[in-house]
Amino acid sequence: MHTCAILLLTGILSGCFADRPLSAQSTVTATRSEIDGIYEEDQRVREAPTPGAPKPVYKSDAEREAATRTLLERGVLFTGKDFEEAAVILQHSHRADDYLLAHTLAMVAMAKGDRDANWIAAASLDRYLMASGKAQIYGTQFLTPQGQPATQEPYDRQLISDALRKELGVPSRAEQEVQRRQFGAQ
């Protein structure tokens, strides 16, 4: 009789939880797949941009940003890589607050041991500073005004040393100058 009651209770309980993930690992795997898919699409549209047609990228950026915010609200990002990919997606926004959120996500990624998030932490802070009317401090942002040479301005080149840039995976000022000239030649 005891065995029948236990089997009945086990059957009822397993039925109650049938629609839920079997383990935390399955939730992590499903979420990794979601954020990975959003991130891969974000990178794919940037690989071969359509000349003279940035609006479709901007529209799809907004969709990816919204999907990423949904994952954040659900609290289903777990790993440093999850947070790094979310930071990359949100730093493609056109709003200063999203750049600051991207910076925060990159900081979480680094706190979780993802050293690859160093660069996005620097880049998102530079974007936030420039969107707020201040000079960038790492030199990660290049602008190419139509008919003019590429520029990093406004840029406070003195605040952050090349030694600190190296720690964050950011090119030195000399390497940045080479990049700037390359952007200008395109």
Side-chain angles (χ1 to χ4, degrees), residues 16-89:
C16 290
F17 297 106
D19 63 336
R20 295 193 178 135
L22 296 175
S23 69
Q25 182 59 41
S26 65
T27 301
V28 170
T29 303
T31 304
R32 283 274 342 122
S33 177
E34 287 179 81
I35 193 65
D36 279 349
I38 298 167
Y39 174 79
E40 287 171 12
E41 177 64 13
D42 181 78
Q43 295 304 293
R44 187 192 64 73
V45 299
R46 285 170 168 74
E47 285 176 4
T50 305
K55 289 183 182 177
V57 172
Y58 295 153
K59 181 179 183 238
S60 63
D61 278 350
E63 293 165 359
R64 286 186 297 279
E65 292 157 19
T68 300
R69 277 191 205 85
T70 298
L71 293 176
L72 286 168
E73 289 167 11
R74 286 176 32 210
V76 295
L77 300 183
F78 301 103
T79 69
K81 193 70 170 165
D82 292 345
F83 285 95
E84 178 194 2
E85 289 178 351
V88 170
I89 293 161

Side-chain angles (χ1 to χ4, degrees), residues 11-178:
I12 291 170
L13 288 175
S14 65
C16 290
F17 297 106
D19 63 336
R20 295 193 178 135
L22 296 175
S23 69
Q25 182 59 41
S26 65
T27 301
V28 170
T29 303
T31 304
R32 283 274 342 122
S33 177
E34 287 179 81
I35 193 65
D36 279 349
I38 298 167
Y39 174 79
E40 287 171 12
E41 177 64 13
D42 181 78
Q43 295 304 293
R44 187 192 64 73
V45 299
R46 285 170 168 74
E47 285 176 4
T50 305
K55 289 183 182 177
V57 172
Y58 295 153
K59 181 179 183 238
S60 63
D61 278 350
E63 293 165 359
R64 286 186 297 279
E65 292 157 19
T68 300
R69 277 191 205 85
T70 298
L71 293 176
L72 286 168
E73 289 167 11
R74 286 176 32 210
V76 295
L77 300 183
F78 301 103
T79 69
K81 193 70 170 165
D82 292 345
F83 285 95
E84 178 194 2
E85 289 178 351
V88 170
I89 293 161
L90 288 177
Q91 70 97 27
H92 288 143
S93 170
H94 300 284
R95 294 180 300 275
D97 286 350
D98 285 343
Y99 304 146
L100 195 53
L101 177 56
H103 178 71
T104 301
L105 296 172
M107 299 297 288
V108 171
M110 290 188 315
K112 289 181 169 281
D114 186 350
R115 290 261 318 154
D116 293 337
N118 291 353
W119 184 86
I120 193 63
S124 57
L125 183 57
D126 273 351
R127 280 199 181 189
Y128 174 75
L129 290 168
M130 292 180 79
S132 300
K134 296 183 169 82
Q136 65 175 313
I137 60 173
Y138 298 107
T140 61
Q141 303 302 298
F142 295 85
L143 305 172
T144 51
Q146 192 165 2
Q148 298 178 26
T151 182
Q152 292 168 281
E153 301 306 326
Y155 179 13
D156 179 352
R157 289 170 175 78
Q158 304 310 311
L159 183 63
I160 306 296
S161 68
D162 279 345
L164 284 175
R165 282 183 179 81
K166 182 179 179 182
E167 290 295 323
L168 290 170
V170 175
S172 69
R173 288 184 296 255
E175 292 167 322
Q176 290 173 5
E177 180 57 24
V178 170

